[in-house]
Amino acid sequence: FDFSSVHMDALLIVGALVHLPHHRLRRMLQRFLMALGRTGVVYLSLKKGSGHRDTSDGRRFFLWQDHQLRPLLRSAGARVLDFQENQSALGTDDTWLGYVLRVERLQHNAG
């Protein structure tokens, strides 16, 4: 996905990346963040846990710990402004990790 031609002030990424393997998350986040230009705010939520979990209907959920995500978010160019853990509103045993992120990029002058 190439989001470089899209220009947003904020992104809401709620549960959209739960099926993405761990090794692909940082690169996908970097691509999403391209839509913000020089600065912006992001809300990101991912499921808490370790490894992955397969469901009876064949879906695979990749699970995260806060201590794994923070360095990855930093390396993608985002700073954590707020963090919360919340139980699923659907009444399942799932816990969601929610991050409010700030993205700021330096502008490079050519010449």
Side-chain angles (χ1 to χ4, degrees):
F1 303 110
D2 180 5
F3 297 101
S4 61
S5 64
V6 179
H7 300 286
M8 305 277 176
D9 294 323
L11 297 172
L12 185 61
I13 310 171
V14 178
L17 302 178
V18 294
H19 304 292
L20 192 68
H22 292 112
H23 70 277
R24 294 186 54 206
L25 183 64
R26 186 176 67 82
R27 182 67 184 130
M28 183 58 70
L29 276 175
Q30 288 173 322
R31 288 176 180 252
F32 270 102
L33 299 181
M34 289 169 46
L36 295 174
R38 285 191 54 221
T39 186
V41 177
V42 177
Y43 179 78
L44 171 70
S45 67
L46 294 163
K47 286 189 178 197
K48 182 179 180 180
S50 296
H52 67 273
R53 185 183 49 164
D54 297 325
T55 61
S56 60
D57 62 1
R59 295 182 299 159
R60 176 168 282 181
F61 291 88
F62 289 88
L63 310 173
W64 292 91
Q65 296 289 323
D66 180 52
H67 72 272
Q68 293 173 298
L69 278 169
R70 286 184 186 256
L72 187 146
L73 295 171
R74 228 181 349 264
S75 71
R79 179 171 48 97
V80 176
L81 297 178
D82 190 43
F83 167 74
Q84 292 186 4
E85 283 189 29
N86 295 298
Q87 290 303 119
S88 173
L90 299 176
T92 64
D93 289 337
D94 295 323
T95 300
W96 288 88
L97 305 174
Y99 296 86
V100 176
L101 307 170
R102 178 79 175 166
V103 176
E104 295 178 350
R105 289 181 196 38
L106 296 175
Q107 185 172 346
H108 296 286
N109 294 328

